[in-house]
Amino acid sequence: MKKLLTATAATALLAGTAMAEDVKLGVLFGFTGPIESLAPAMGSGAEMAMAEVTESGKLLDGTSVVGMRADTGCIDNGLSTSNGERMIADGVSGIIGGDCSGVTGAILQNVAIPNGMVMISPSATSPGLSTMEDNGLFFRTAPSDAREGQVMADILNDRGISSIALTYTNNDYGKGLADAIQSSFEAAGGEVTIVAAHEDGKADYSAEVGALASAGGDILVVAGYLDQGGLGIIQSSLDSGAFDTFGLPGGMIGDSLPANVGADLNGSFGQIAGSGGEGAEKYFAMAEAAGFDGSSPYSPESYDAAALFMLAMQAAGSTNPADYGAKILDVANEPGEKIYPGELAKGLELLAAGQDIDYVGASGVELIGPGESAGSYREIEVTDGENKTVNFR
């Protein structure tokens, strides 16, 4: 994180870590596992917001904010829960995370609720998290898969796809997303020839691909993980000639997939949470200056999650989750002056003066209820071996 700070700010931050008034925020992402290629830019986004606030000196009379990273493995409930408990023991005031939906639910139920700790996830998208009893402790800056299913159905229809085979990673995320895609596509008149689960971590997916190929379909939609089983399904499909074009939901979008698959992935398409406009462009430029790729999936949402914590603390005049948790919806939504990336000091000043803010951030933040974000999507097409944004929805 040092490279994100000026020398003066870094010195002040390091010197202040032992001071009682300093704030720790947990950064609980899958730095290993099925989305490990995405986690570094997510962590850097969250930490860049903390550095911005620390350097400003505007949070609660000069409070510094430091990040504490830990791993979820994306799909390891035991690891996620134990690391969440360690964060609590180490005195965090909030948890940015989890990342994948299953572990996020486990952290919420086993760590956050028993300890009254607020969580804001930048990437957990299961619809089930919207209705999970959370005692007002859970928020997210990425929209749920119920919305993504509708978006994917629209994209498929607009591209003239009338039938799909559908496979999903066998967990909460995969099942919820597959259900949303199937129901939305069928409601729009499309045909789903087969819906089949796949397990992550297998060396051979020929049996799964054989069943998918037998059912047929214009394309194969893979609701999986780009660094795990989803990649294996695609490679096996291409090797056998079963499918040559793939629908790629959010868990499959990232630079590592076209890099690993190669030119055969050209023409495949999908969607990932994200927005364009002023906030996104400012964030991308800030990230480039800081030395990481801000357009990497869920990196903008991670910056926004960290920002919401600190702005809510300022609004409440407290770093206690019991005090600031109720302020998160207030700072995230209208009314108030719009706040964009790089303007966190401005937001803190306005709140200190008793004024309202509407945090727009890097991803067009709009929180519409308990654990729910309105969100928008980038439509992606793989062209010349790269994920290209071709539309916003």
Side-chain angles (χ1 to χ4, degrees):
M1 189 170 74
K2 293 179 183 177
K3 68 181 180 180
L4 303 180
L5 300 170
T6 66
T8 300
T11 301
L13 190 151
L14 292 171
T17 54
M19 296 173 62
E21 66 267 33
D22 288 349
V23 175
K24 295 178 182 177
L25 288 178
V27 180
L28 193 49
F29 297 153
F31 294 102
T32 64
I35 64 163
E36 62 186 9
S37 65
L38 306 183
M42 292 170 63
S44 293
E47 290 160 355
M48 186 166 69
M50 297 180 215
E52 182 183 337
V53 165
T54 296
E55 190 166 3
S56 78
K58 302 292 185 181
L59 175 63
L60 300 176
D61 299 320
T63 298
S64 296
V65 187
V66 294
M68 174 186 291
R69 285 193 182 194
D71 190 20
T72 67
C74 173
I75 54 175
D76 190 332
N77 287 356
L79 175 67
S80 302
T81 298
S82 64
N83 279 337
E85 290 171 340
R86 178 169 62 83
M87 286 181 169
I88 299 292
D90 286 344
V92 300
S93 295
I95 295 176
I96 303 163
D99 51 350
C100 300
S101 295
V103 297
T104 299
I107 298 163
L108 176 60
Q109 291 179 316
N110 298 314
V111 179
I113 291 175
N115 292 283
M117 183 56 62
V118 173
M119 295 171 58
I120 305 179
S121 173
S123 58
T125 55
S126 170
L129 290 167
S130 299
T131 56
M132 184 177 291
E133 184 59 48
D134 65 4
N135 294 353
L137 297 170
F138 177 69
F139 304 86
R140 50 182 164 181
T141 49
S144 86
D145 293 329
R147 164 76 174 137
E148 184 171 1
Q150 296 169 356
V151 170
M152 178 150 237
D154 290 343
I155 292 172
L156 291 167
N157 282 322
D158 289 350
R159 289 173 177 261
I161 304 297
S162 60
S163 65
I164 63 169
L166 175 59
T167 181
Y168 63 91
T169 183
N170 193 18
N171 61 19
D172 291 349
Y173 161 70
K175 183 64 165 62
L177 178 55
D179 288 346
I181 293 170
Q182 180 181 12
S183 61
S184 296
F185 189 53
E186 288 178 342
E191 178 189 5
V192 181
T193 62
I194 184 175
V195 182
H198 64 261
E199 303 294 335
D200 287 316
K202 295 182 65 174
D204 182 6
Y205 288 94
S206 57
E208 289 86 347
V209 169
L212 294 164
S214 295
D218 294 340
I219 67 168
L220 173 61
V221 175
V222 185
Y225 294 124
L226 77 166
D227 296 325
Q228 250 298 340
L231 171 62
I233 289 283
I234 287 177
Q235 289 179 324
S236 182
S237 296
L238 291 168
D239 290 344
S240 65
F243 296 93
D244 59 11
T245 305
F246 304 92
L248 306 172
M252 297 297 295
I253 303 295
D255 291 343
S256 69
L257 188 68
N260 286 326
V261 175
D264 286 341
L265 197 63
N266 288 341
S268 293
F269 57 88
Q271 65 284 325
I272 184 77
S275 63
E278 180 180 352
E281 293 305 318
K282 285 185 174 181
Y283 179 72
F284 297 159
M286 289 168 59
E288 183 178 7
F292 68 95
D293 180 9
S295 68
S296 181
Y298 302 116
S299 180
E301 288 82 2
S302 298
Y303 175 93
D304 289 342
L308 286 175
F309 270 113
M310 296 179 288
L311 293 167
M313 290 174 182
Q314 185 84 334
S318 171
T319 62
N320 187 331
D323 297 329
Y324 75 73
K327 297 293 186 180
I328 290 174
L329 288 175
D330 292 343
V331 300
N333 297 330
E334 296 179 336
E337 186 162 347
K338 295 186 183 302
I339 301 297
Y340 294 94
E343 298 181 348
L344 299 185
K346 175 184 175 183
L348 294 169
E349 290 175 345
L350 289 168
L351 291 167
Q355 299 183 47
D356 291 330
I357 67 166
D358 174 14
Y359 180 73
V360 177
S363 63
V365 170
E366 182 184 355
L367 305 187
I368 56 176
E372 196 69 31
S373 172
S376 59
Y377 285 85
R378 289 189 287 150
E379 182 178 345
I380 301 293
E381 183 168 328
V382 183
T383 306
D384 297 329
E386 295 183 355
N387 292 322
K388 302 290 189 180
T389 299
V390 296
N391 198 7
F392 291 96
R393 294 180 182 257

